[in-house]
Amino acid sequence: MGENTSGRVVHHKRESCLSLEEFVERAPDLTAGERIAVREILESIAEGGREVSRRLALGPLHGLTGSAGQVNVQGEEVQAFDEIAQEVFSGLLGASGRVSVLVSEEREKPDVFPCPSESFLMAMDPLDGSSNLAVSGPVGSIFALYRPGEGDDDPSRAILRATRDVVCAAYVLYSVSTLMVVAFREEVRMYALDPASGRFMPLPGPVRFPDGGGQIVSINTGNYTRWERGIQSYVDTLHSRSSWSARYVGALVMDFHRNLLKGGIYIYPGDLPRGSGGGHPEGKLRLLFEAIPMAFIARAAGGLATNGQKPILDLPATHIHQRVALVVGSRELVQEFSRIAGAPEPV
Ligand code: AHM
Ligand code: MG
Protein backbone atom coordinates (compact mmCIF):
# COMPACT_ATOMS: atom_id res chain seq x y z
CA MET A 1 0.00 0.00 0.00
CA GLY A 2 1.23 3.54 -0.69
CA GLU A 3 0.16 7.00 -1.80
CA ASN A 4 0.16 7.97 -5.47
CA THR A 5 1.07 11.44 -6.70
CA SER A 6 -2.51 12.65 -6.41
CA GLY A 7 -2.50 11.62 -2.76
CA ARG A 8 -4.61 8.50 -3.35
CA VAL A 9 -3.48 5.30 -1.70
CA VAL A 10 -2.20 2.64 -4.09
CA HIS A 11 -3.00 -0.97 -3.21
CA HIS A 12 -0.50 -3.47 -4.58
CA LYS A 13 -1.90 -6.93 -5.17
CA ARG A 14 -1.54 -8.62 -1.81
CA GLU A 15 -0.58 -12.00 -3.25
CA SER A 16 2.47 -10.60 -5.11
CA CYS A 17 3.84 -8.76 -2.04
CA LEU A 18 5.65 -10.50 0.81
CA SER A 19 6.61 -8.78 4.06
CA LEU A 20 10.23 -9.33 5.15
CA GLU A 21 8.94 -11.75 7.76
CA GLU A 22 6.92 -13.74 5.19
CA PHE A 23 9.86 -13.81 2.80
CA VAL A 24 12.21 -15.18 5.46
CA GLU A 25 9.55 -17.69 6.47
CA ARG A 26 9.60 -19.30 3.03
CA ALA A 27 13.37 -19.06 2.39
CA PRO A 28 14.80 -22.51 1.57
CA ASP A 29 17.26 -24.57 3.63
CA LEU A 30 17.05 -22.75 6.96
CA THR A 31 16.57 -24.37 10.33
CA ALA A 32 13.95 -22.82 12.62
CA GLY A 33 16.71 -21.14 14.66
CA GLU A 34 18.49 -19.81 11.57
CA ARG A 35 15.21 -18.41 10.29
CA ILE A 36 14.82 -16.32 13.44
CA ALA A 37 18.46 -15.18 13.22
CA VAL A 38 18.17 -14.18 9.55
CA ARG A 39 14.97 -12.26 10.22
CA GLU A 40 16.60 -10.34 13.07
CA ILE A 41 19.65 -9.55 10.94
CA LEU A 42 17.46 -8.25 8.10
CA GLU A 43 15.53 -6.15 10.61
CA SER A 44 18.84 -4.66 11.79
CA ILE A 45 19.78 -3.87 8.17
CA ALA A 46 16.36 -2.25 7.67
CA GLU A 47 16.81 -0.17 10.81
CA GLY A 48 20.30 0.86 9.73
CA GLY A 49 19.07 1.67 6.22
CA ARG A 50 16.38 3.90 7.64
CA GLU A 51 18.91 5.73 9.85
CA VAL A 52 21.53 6.12 7.10
CA SER A 53 18.82 7.32 4.69
CA ARG A 54 17.68 9.95 7.20
CA ARG A 55 21.21 11.19 7.78
CA LEU A 56 22.10 11.21 4.08
CA ALA A 57 19.11 13.44 3.38
CA LEU A 58 20.49 15.98 5.89
CA GLY A 59 24.06 15.65 4.60
CA PRO A 60 24.33 18.86 2.57
CA LEU A 61 22.76 20.87 5.43
CA HIS A 62 25.42 19.54 7.78
CA GLY A 63 28.25 20.01 5.30
CA LEU A 64 28.66 16.24 5.04
CA THR A 65 29.40 15.74 1.37
CA GLY A 66 33.15 15.60 1.17
CA SER A 67 36.16 13.88 2.57
CA ALA A 68 36.72 13.15 6.22
CA GLY A 69 40.42 13.44 5.48
CA GLN A 70 41.24 9.89 6.51
CA VAL A 71 42.60 7.06 4.39
CA ASN A 72 40.95 3.62 4.58
CA VAL A 73 42.62 0.21 4.30
CA GLN A 74 42.27 0.36 0.49
CA GLY A 75 44.36 3.56 0.50
CA GLU A 76 41.32 5.65 -0.46
CA GLU A 77 40.02 8.76 1.22
CA VAL A 78 37.23 8.04 3.67
CA GLN A 79 34.16 10.16 3.15
CA ALA A 80 32.52 11.26 6.38
CA PHE A 81 29.46 9.18 5.56
CA ASP A 82 31.47 6.00 5.01
CA GLU A 83 32.37 6.17 8.68
CA ILE A 84 28.87 7.13 9.80
CA ALA A 85 27.33 4.20 7.88
CA GLN A 86 30.00 1.87 9.27
CA GLU A 87 29.14 2.90 12.83
CA VAL A 88 25.38 2.66 12.28
CA PHE A 89 25.43 -0.83 10.74
CA SER A 90 28.18 -2.36 12.88
CA GLY A 91 26.43 -1.03 16.02
CA LEU A 92 23.09 -2.60 15.06
CA LEU A 93 24.48 -5.86 13.68
CA GLY A 94 26.82 -6.28 16.65
CA ALA A 95 23.98 -5.67 19.09
CA SER A 96 21.69 -8.11 17.27
CA GLY A 97 23.52 -11.05 18.81
CA ARG A 98 23.15 -12.79 15.45
CA VAL A 99 26.37 -11.78 13.66
CA SER A 100 29.46 -13.40 15.17
CA VAL A 101 31.99 -12.03 12.65
CA LEU A 102 31.58 -8.84 10.64
CA VAL A 103 34.02 -7.82 7.93
CA SER A 104 33.67 -4.45 6.27
CA GLU A 105 35.22 -2.59 3.38
CA GLU A 106 35.97 0.15 5.90
CA ARG A 107 37.83 -1.99 8.43
CA GLU A 108 41.12 -3.78 7.99
CA LYS A 109 40.27 -6.56 10.42
CA PRO A 110 37.04 -8.41 11.28
CA ASP A 111 34.88 -7.33 14.21
CA VAL A 112 33.99 -10.23 16.46
CA PHE A 113 30.78 -10.13 18.51
CA PRO A 114 29.56 -12.43 21.27
CA CYS A 115 26.64 -14.53 20.03
CA PRO A 116 24.61 -16.69 22.36
CA SER A 117 22.86 -18.90 19.78
CA GLU A 118 22.46 -19.35 16.00
CA SER A 119 24.58 -16.75 14.29
CA PHE A 120 26.05 -15.91 10.89
CA LEU A 121 29.18 -14.38 9.42
CA MET A 122 28.68 -11.19 7.47
CA ALA A 123 30.53 -9.06 4.92
CA MET A 124 29.36 -5.52 4.21
CA ASP A 125 30.16 -2.39 2.30
CA PRO A 126 28.39 0.14 4.53
CA LEU A 127 28.35 2.92 1.93
CA ASP A 128 29.32 2.13 -1.64
CA GLY A 129 29.81 4.79 -4.30
CA SER A 130 30.27 7.51 -1.70
CA SER A 131 32.05 9.84 -4.13
CA ASN A 132 28.52 10.50 -5.46
CA LEU A 133 27.63 12.25 -2.21
CA ALA A 134 29.39 15.43 -3.31
CA VAL A 135 26.62 15.85 -5.89
CA SER A 136 23.73 14.31 -3.92
CA GLY A 137 23.90 11.27 -6.21
CA PRO A 138 22.71 7.76 -5.33
CA VAL A 139 24.72 5.46 -3.06
CA GLY A 140 24.11 2.07 -1.47
CA SER A 141 24.89 -0.37 1.33
CA ILE A 142 25.70 -4.01 0.47
CA PHE A 143 25.53 -7.14 2.65
CA ALA A 144 26.15 -10.89 2.41
CA LEU A 145 25.38 -13.44 5.07
CA TYR A 146 27.34 -16.68 5.39
CA ARG A 147 26.79 -19.84 7.38
CA PRO A 148 29.78 -20.49 9.66
CA GLY A 149 31.83 -23.62 8.90
CA GLU A 150 33.07 -26.10 11.45
CA GLY A 151 36.01 -25.54 13.78
CA ASP A 152 37.79 -22.40 12.60
CA ASP A 153 38.39 -19.98 15.43
CA ASP A 154 40.31 -17.42 13.38
CA PRO A 155 37.60 -14.97 12.18
CA SER A 156 39.39 -13.99 8.95
CA ARG A 157 39.94 -17.61 7.95
CA ALA A 158 36.38 -18.50 8.94
CA ILE A 159 34.84 -15.93 6.61
CA LEU A 160 37.19 -16.71 3.73
CA ARG A 161 36.22 -20.39 3.97
CA ALA A 162 32.53 -19.60 4.20
CA THR A 163 32.18 -17.37 1.13
CA ARG A 164 30.82 -20.14 -1.09
CA ASP A 165 27.97 -20.69 1.34
CA VAL A 166 25.96 -17.48 0.96
CA VAL A 167 22.62 -17.76 2.73
CA CYS A 168 21.22 -14.35 1.94
CA ALA A 169 22.38 -11.10 0.33
CA ALA A 170 20.86 -7.65 0.35
CA TYR A 171 21.43 -4.04 -0.59
CA VAL A 172 19.91 -0.75 0.40
CA LEU A 173 19.71 1.84 -2.37
CA TYR A 174 19.56 5.49 -1.26
CA SER A 175 18.18 7.41 -4.21
CA VAL A 176 14.94 9.19 -5.06
CA SER A 177 13.46 6.57 -2.76
CA THR A 178 15.21 4.27 -0.32
CA LEU A 179 14.82 0.65 -1.37
CA MET A 180 15.91 -2.56 0.26
CA VAL A 181 16.45 -5.55 -2.02
CA VAL A 182 16.82 -8.98 -0.41
CA ALA A 183 17.74 -12.30 -2.03
CA PHE A 184 17.63 -15.90 -0.92
CA ARG A 185 18.86 -18.66 -3.23
CA GLU A 186 16.09 -18.47 -5.81
CA GLU A 187 14.09 -15.37 -5.13
CA VAL A 188 14.58 -11.62 -4.87
CA ARG A 189 12.17 -9.24 -3.16
CA MET A 190 12.08 -5.46 -2.97
CA TYR A 191 10.93 -3.11 -0.19
CA ALA A 192 10.47 0.67 -0.21
CA LEU A 193 10.99 2.87 2.84
CA ASP A 194 7.91 4.82 3.84
CA PRO A 195 9.55 7.85 5.50
CA ALA A 196 6.35 8.68 7.40
CA SER A 197 6.13 5.36 9.26
CA GLY A 198 9.83 4.47 8.98
CA ARG A 199 8.83 1.02 7.70
CA PHE A 200 10.04 -0.82 4.63
CA MET A 201 6.88 -1.76 2.72
CA PRO A 202 6.87 -4.73 0.32
CA LEU A 203 6.65 -4.08 -3.41
CA PRO A 204 5.25 -6.59 -5.90
CA GLY A 205 7.61 -9.40 -6.77
CA PRO A 206 9.54 -11.58 -7.14
CA VAL A 207 12.08 -9.41 -8.96
CA ARG A 208 13.65 -11.00 -12.08
CA PHE A 209 15.76 -9.68 -14.93
CA PRO A 210 13.33 -8.97 -17.76
CA ASP A 211 12.84 -11.48 -20.58
CA GLY A 212 15.36 -11.02 -23.36
CA GLY A 213 18.00 -9.62 -21.00
CA GLY A 214 17.72 -5.94 -21.95
CA GLN A 215 19.99 -3.50 -23.76
CA ILE A 216 21.74 -1.41 -21.09
CA VAL A 217 25.51 -1.52 -20.63
CA SER A 218 27.17 0.12 -17.61
CA ILE A 219 30.94 0.44 -17.93
CA ASN A 220 33.39 3.32 -17.40
CA THR A 221 34.66 3.71 -20.97
CA GLY A 222 37.09 6.38 -19.75
CA ASN A 223 39.34 3.41 -18.95
CA TYR A 224 39.22 2.04 -22.55
CA THR A 225 42.95 2.40 -23.27
CA ARG A 226 43.82 0.53 -20.08
CA TRP A 227 41.74 -2.56 -20.86
CA GLU A 228 42.88 -5.81 -22.33
CA ARG A 229 41.86 -6.46 -25.95
CA GLY A 230 38.79 -8.63 -25.20
CA ILE A 231 37.05 -5.86 -23.26
CA GLN A 232 37.90 -3.33 -25.96
CA SER A 233 36.46 -5.67 -28.61
CA TYR A 234 33.24 -5.95 -26.65
CA VAL A 235 32.84 -2.17 -26.44
CA ASP A 236 33.82 -1.79 -30.12
CA THR A 237 31.09 -4.28 -31.03
CA LEU A 238 28.52 -2.28 -29.08
CA HIS A 239 29.48 0.86 -30.96
CA SER A 240 28.72 -0.84 -34.26
CA ARG A 241 25.11 -1.44 -33.17
CA SER A 242 22.04 0.72 -33.36
CA SER A 243 20.23 -0.68 -30.35
CA TRP A 244 21.93 -0.44 -26.99
CA SER A 245 22.10 2.16 -24.24
CA ALA A 246 25.04 3.29 -22.13
CA ARG A 247 24.13 4.13 -18.53
CA TYR A 248 26.71 4.66 -15.78
CA VAL A 249 26.13 6.38 -12.46
CA GLY A 250 29.41 5.24 -10.88
CA ALA A 251 27.60 3.68 -7.91
CA LEU A 252 27.40 -0.10 -8.20
CA VAL A 253 24.11 -0.46 -6.31
CA MET A 254 22.35 2.07 -8.54
CA ASP A 255 23.83 0.73 -11.78
CA PHE A 256 23.05 -2.86 -10.81
CA HIS A 257 19.54 -2.01 -9.64
CA ARG A 258 18.65 -0.22 -12.87
CA ASN A 259 19.98 -3.12 -14.90
CA LEU A 260 18.04 -5.61 -12.78
CA LEU A 261 14.75 -3.83 -13.38
CA LYS A 262 15.33 -2.66 -16.97
CA GLY A 263 17.63 -5.39 -18.27
CA GLY A 264 21.35 -4.77 -18.56
CA ILE A 265 24.93 -5.59 -17.65
CA TYR A 266 27.46 -3.91 -15.33
CA ILE A 267 31.16 -4.36 -16.09
CA TYR A 268 34.23 -3.27 -14.09
CA PRO A 269 37.19 -5.06 -15.67
CA GLY A 270 40.79 -4.95 -14.56
CA ASP A 271 42.63 -1.94 -15.94
CA LEU A 272 46.35 -1.40 -16.28
CA PRO A 273 48.29 1.53 -14.82
CA ARG A 274 48.65 4.45 -17.25
CA GLY A 275 50.80 7.54 -16.82
CA SER A 276 50.72 8.45 -13.16
CA GLY A 277 47.36 6.64 -12.68
CA GLY A 278 47.64 3.48 -10.57
CA GLY A 279 45.04 1.35 -12.37
CA HIS A 280 43.32 -1.71 -10.93
CA PRO A 281 44.97 -4.72 -12.63
CA GLU A 282 42.81 -7.18 -10.67
CA GLY A 283 39.66 -5.06 -10.90
CA LYS A 284 38.55 -2.25 -8.61
CA LEU A 285 35.69 -3.89 -6.75
CA ARG A 286 36.04 -6.19 -3.78
CA LEU A 287 35.11 -9.86 -3.91
CA LEU A 288 33.57 -10.05 -0.44
CA PHE A 289 31.90 -6.66 -0.12
CA GLU A 290 30.62 -6.02 -3.64
CA ALA A 291 31.04 -8.88 -6.12
CA ILE A 292 29.74 -11.88 -4.14
CA PRO A 293 26.58 -10.20 -2.80
CA MET A 294 25.66 -8.78 -6.23
CA ALA A 295 26.45 -12.11 -7.92
CA PHE A 296 24.18 -13.93 -5.47
CA ILE A 297 21.34 -11.44 -6.01
CA ALA A 298 21.82 -11.59 -9.79
CA ARG A 299 21.68 -15.40 -9.82
CA ALA A 300 18.55 -15.44 -7.67
CA ALA A 301 16.96 -13.04 -10.20
CA GLY A 302 17.88 -15.26 -13.17
CA GLY A 303 21.15 -13.46 -14.07
CA LEU A 304 24.85 -14.28 -14.02
CA ALA A 305 28.14 -12.90 -12.70
CA THR A 306 31.70 -13.68 -13.74
CA ASN A 307 35.19 -12.25 -13.36
CA GLY A 308 35.72 -13.00 -17.06
CA GLN A 309 37.18 -16.42 -16.26
CA LYS A 310 34.94 -18.07 -13.69
CA PRO A 311 31.58 -17.50 -12.03
CA ILE A 312 32.05 -15.06 -9.15
CA LEU A 313 30.31 -17.44 -6.76
CA ASP A 314 32.90 -20.17 -7.50
CA LEU A 315 35.98 -18.03 -6.83
CA PRO A 316 38.11 -18.93 -3.83
CA ALA A 317 38.52 -16.03 -1.40
CA THR A 318 42.12 -15.62 -0.28
CA HIS A 319 42.03 -12.19 1.36
CA ILE A 320 39.28 -10.19 3.01
CA HIS A 321 39.97 -7.12 0.88
CA GLN A 322 40.62 -9.07 -2.33
CA ARG A 323 39.73 -7.22 -5.54
CA VAL A 324 38.17 -8.80 -8.58
CA ALA A 325 36.94 -7.96 -12.07
CA LEU A 326 33.14 -7.96 -12.12
CA VAL A 327 30.71 -8.61 -14.97
CA VAL A 328 27.16 -8.95 -13.67
CA GLY A 329 23.73 -8.70 -15.20
CA SER A 330 21.11 -10.56 -17.16
CA ARG A 331 22.00 -14.07 -18.35
CA GLU A 332 21.71 -13.10 -22.02
CA LEU A 333 24.01 -10.08 -21.79
CA VAL A 334 26.65 -11.76 -19.61
CA GLN A 335 26.75 -14.74 -22.00
CA GLU A 336 27.02 -12.38 -24.96
CA PHE A 337 29.83 -10.47 -23.23
CA SER A 338 31.70 -13.73 -22.69
CA ARG A 339 31.36 -14.73 -26.36
CA ILE A 340 32.60 -11.39 -27.69
CA ALA A 341 35.33 -10.81 -25.10
CA GLY A 342 36.63 -14.35 -25.59
CA ALA A 343 35.92 -15.36 -22.00
CA PRO A 344 34.67 -18.83 -21.01
CA GLU A 345 30.85 -18.88 -20.95
CA PRO A 346 29.64 -18.64 -17.38
CA VAL A 347 27.00 -21.13 -16.33
P1 AHM B 1 33.95 2.54 -3.52
O1 AHM B 1 33.75 1.23 -2.83
O2 AHM B 1 35.23 3.20 -3.15
O3 AHM B 1 32.76 3.45 -3.37
O4 AHM B 1 34.15 2.21 -5.08
C1 AHM B 1 33.22 1.40 -5.71
C2 AHM B 1 32.51 2.19 -6.77
C3 AHM B 1 31.33 1.47 -7.34
O5 AHM B 1 30.15 1.74 -6.66
C4 AHM B 1 31.28 2.04 -8.72
O6 AHM B 1 30.59 1.21 -9.61
C5 AHM B 1 32.72 2.20 -9.06
O7 AHM B 1 33.41 2.37 -7.83
C6 AHM B 1 32.97 3.39 -9.92
O8 AHM B 1 34.32 3.47 -10.18
P2 AHM B 1 34.87 4.49 -11.30
O9 AHM B 1 34.59 5.86 -10.76
O10 AHM B 1 36.32 4.16 -11.39
O11 AHM B 1 34.13 4.24 -12.58
MG1 MG C 1 32.51 -0.11 -2.21
Side-chain angles (χ1 to χ4, degrees):
M1 192 174 84
E3 235 175 55
N4 70 13
T5 45
S6 61
R8 279 213 320 272
V9 169
V10 176
H11 291 273
H12 294 304
K13 273 195 182 152
R14 175 72 186 95
E15 66 272 22
S16 68
C17 292
L18 287 182
S19 68
L20 254 186
E21 200 176 347
E22 290 167 327
F23 189 28
V24 174
E25 208 41 55
R26 68 185 222 175
D29 309 331
L30 294 177
T31 65
E34 286 177 337
R35 219 171 277 286
I36 295 170
V38 170
R39 200 191 65 225
E40 290 180 4
I41 291 169
L42 289 173
E43 283 166 358
S44 297
I45 291 174
E47 193 178 338
R50 176 168 59 242
E51 176 61 10
V52 170
S53 172
R54 189 185 70 77
R55 292 171 77 164
L56 284 170
L58 295 170
L61 295 175
H62 294 169
L64 280 176
T65 54
S67 166
Q70 294 168 287
V71 170
N72 72 9
V73 291
Q74 315 286 338
E76 298 153 338
E77 275 200 335
V78 177
Q79 308 275 315
F81 263 118
D82 288 330
E83 196 50 36
I84 291 171
Q86 168 69 31
E87 292 295 321
V88 167
F89 284 113
S90 72
L92 288 163
L93 292 165
S96 74
R98 299 298 192 176
V99 176
S100 56
V101 175
L102 177 66
V103 292
S104 165
E105 188 181 304
E106 297 301 332
R107 292 288 181 269
E108 188 176 356
K109 297 212 163 71
D111 283 321
V112 179
F113 300 107
C115 281
S117 52
E118 270 90 352
S119 63
F120 288 88
L121 315 177
M122 182 178 258
M124 72 168 177
D125 184 349
L127 203 68
D128 184 67
S130 51
S131 64
N132 274 1
L133 293 175
V135 294
S136 290
V139 289
S141 305
I142 309 173
F143 306 88
L145 206 57
Y146 304 105
R147 194 175 270 120
E150 292 293 312
D152 208 339
D153 288 343
D154 178 273
S156 300
R157 273 209 307 270
I159 199 144
L160 293 175
R161 278 194 7 189
T163 53
R164 294 200 210 180
D165 198 6
V166 184
V167 171
C168 171
Y171 59 76
V172 181
L173 168 65
Y174 312 97
S175 183
V176 173
S177 22
T178 296
L179 301 179
M180 182 167 163
V181 172
V182 180
F184 290 100
R185 192 156 41 86
E186 284 169 359
E187 194 169 331
V188 180
R189 293 273 163 179
M190 190 156 70
Y191 300 85
L193 178 65
D194 173 358
S197 68
R199 293 175 57 208
F200 277 90
M201 309 302 288
L203 297 175
V207 182
R208 310 269 307 164
F209 284 98
D211 290 344
Q215 298 198 326
I216 298 172
V217 180
S218 306
I219 185 168
N220 185 347
T221 47
N223 293 326
Y224 183 92
T225 58
R226 303 169 180 232
W227 293 332
E228 61 176 51
R229 191 62 209 131
I231 312 290
Q232 292 177 334
S233 301
Y234 173 74
V235 169
D236 294 346
T237 305
L238 294 176
H239 282 112
S240 68
R241 287 187 184 161
S242 53
S243 60
W244 69 287
S245 288
R247 295 281 186 277
Y248 191 73
V249 166
L252 172 64
V253 174
M254 181 75 256
D255 283 315
F256 176 91
H257 186 74
R258 182 218 311 104
N259 296 349
L260 172 62
L261 298 192
K262 297 280 191 185
I265 184 171
Y266 170 97
I267 305 168
Y268 208 113
D271 52 74
L272 297 170
R274 187 186 54 196
S276 55
H280 312 95
E282 291 157 7
K284 178 183 180 189
L285 302 184
R286 291 76 173 172
L287 180 63
L288 266 70
F289 311 122
E290 290 149 338
I292 289 178
M294 291 318 204
F296 184 83
I297 296 168
R299 190 179 66 182
L304 288 174
T306 171
N307 69 346
Q309 296 300 317
K310 285 187 172 170
I312 292 287
L313 294 170
D314 289 348
L315 293 175
T318 55
H319 186 262
I320 289 176
H321 293 280
Q322 184 175 340
R323 292 180 190 263
V324 71
L326 177 62
V327 181
V328 62
S330 69
R331 174 170 292 272
E332 293 85 345
L333 292 194
V334 174
Q335 284 175 337
E336 181 194 63
F337 164 88
S338 300
R339 274 195 302 279
I340 299 172
E345 286 240 343
V347 282

